[in-house]
Amino acid sequence: DDSQAEFDRSAAVVPWLSLPFEHRELADDLRKLYQVTDSELVLINSSNGRIINRQGRAALEHGVKYWPYDAAAMEQAKEDKVDIDQIRQDKAREEEAEELAAQEARPAPRAVLRRLRGEFGTMKLDAAERSLSFLEHASVGVTNLVVPPGAKGYYEVEVVECSFATIQVGWASDVTETCDEDKPEYIGQCKGSWAIDSIVQSPRWKPGDVIGVAVSVPHRAAAADVAAAV
């Protein structure tokens, strides 16, 4: 902080024990002693002044369970996180399988939505409500209904909530690679897919908008079949 007013504003937001603003020389000495160059750096020290962890911000996010945040505690936190992530992945996998089964149990003809790209747990599908929520980047599509060469296809998507920076809706062919990984290429960016990107539309899409997406597959299409994808 460059002034008493700035110091007071910072102290009001983060009311930690601190040196008074007028003790700038002592503050500079402490920065040199602990080699502090980042104003947002959080150091965790022992009672005798020894540095325990220079990545205090990240360490504190693990919670008080991992006090005193030394190397052994941080290693345990990493192992526990792997276990927790695996539990979440397994739960998401089970929920996804249940929703797929619920869709497939509906009378034919039916469109069965499934995750095409992205990790388990990146999207949430409610077959009963016919709704789809994206928690992270992922691509979802219909693979049991396709548009063959020489035919035309059409579907609609209603925007219920639009919190992501961009939404892409379009079509994917049977050469589009599916995966359970977080990859940067999604529908409209990966091979054999085409999409309309909400970020380039004017006006921008908003809740309540219904997006209609059509496709006409030429007789001499490079890919045999095309299906809806979001």
Side-chain angles (χ1 to χ4, degrees):
D1 299 312
D2 296 325
S3 67
Q4 182 69 54
E6 289 183 8
F7 178 86
D8 292 341
R9 284 194 293 270
S10 298
V13 176
V14 187
W16 293 355
L17 182 65
S18 58
L19 288 171
F21 178 75
E22 59 268 21
H23 294 172
R24 292 296 87 194
E25 290 186 4
L26 180 54
D28 289 339
D29 290 341
L30 287 172
R31 277 193 286 269
K32 292 175 182 177
L33 175 64
Y34 290 110
Q35 300 177 354
V36 175
T37 58
D38 185 350
S39 62
E40 296 186 356
L41 178 68
V42 176
L43 295 177
I44 299 177
N45 294 353
S46 66
S47 58
N48 62 7
R50 180 178 62 85
I51 296 177
I52 298 175
N53 195 323
R54 293 189 65 86
Q55 305 297 325
R57 289 169 65 89
L60 291 170
E61 290 180 357
H62 292 294
V64 295
K65 175 182 177 181
Y66 299 98
W67 170 263
Y69 307 111
D70 56 13
M74 292 298 92
E75 186 62 31
Q76 185 62 52
K78 287 182 181 179
E79 293 178 5
D80 292 348
K81 184 178 185 303
V82 170
D83 292 341
I84 292 172
D85 288 346
Q86 187 60 54
I87 291 172
R88 289 174 178 167
Q89 286 274 311
D90 292 343
K91 186 174 185 296
R93 190 191 306 265
E94 292 175 3
E95 291 177 348
E96 190 172 305
E98 291 175 359
E99 287 297 340
L100 278 173
Q103 292 185 85
E104 291 170 348
R106 296 203 308 263
R110 59 184 179 276
V112 178
L113 280 168
R114 63 179 68 243
R115 181 177 44 80
L116 301 179
R117 298 172 70 85
E119 298 177 351
F120 286 100
T122 52
M123 63 89 181
K124 189 171 182 58
L125 177 64
D126 189 328
E129 295 294 329
R130 299 177 64 84
S131 66
L132 178 65
S133 303
F134 291 96
L135 310 177
E136 298 288 346
H137 294 293
S139 294
V140 175
V142 175
T143 56
N144 67 311
L145 298 178
V146 298
V147 184
K152 298 179 181 180
Y154 178 82
Y155 71 95
E156 294 180 349
V157 174
E158 180 182 356
V159 179
V160 178
E161 185 178 342
C162 190
S163 55
F164 272 21
T166 181
I167 301 173
Q168 292 167 299
V169 295
W171 301 86
S173 71
D174 56 0
V175 301
T176 301
E177 179 188 2
T178 61
C179 63
D180 296 328
E181 303 174 21
D182 182 13
K183 291 189 175 182
E185 299 86 13
Y186 292 92
I187 296 304
Q189 300 168 313
C190 55
K191 182 180 179 181
S193 68
W194 307 266
I196 303 170
D197 196 326
S198 66
I199 205 167
V200 299
Q201 301 302 308
S202 180
R204 295 285 295 274
W205 297 344
K206 62 185 183 302
D209 286 349
V210 176
I211 314 303
V213 190
V215 67
S216 178
V217 183
H219 286 280
R220 294 184 178 180
D225 298 307
V226 177
V230 180

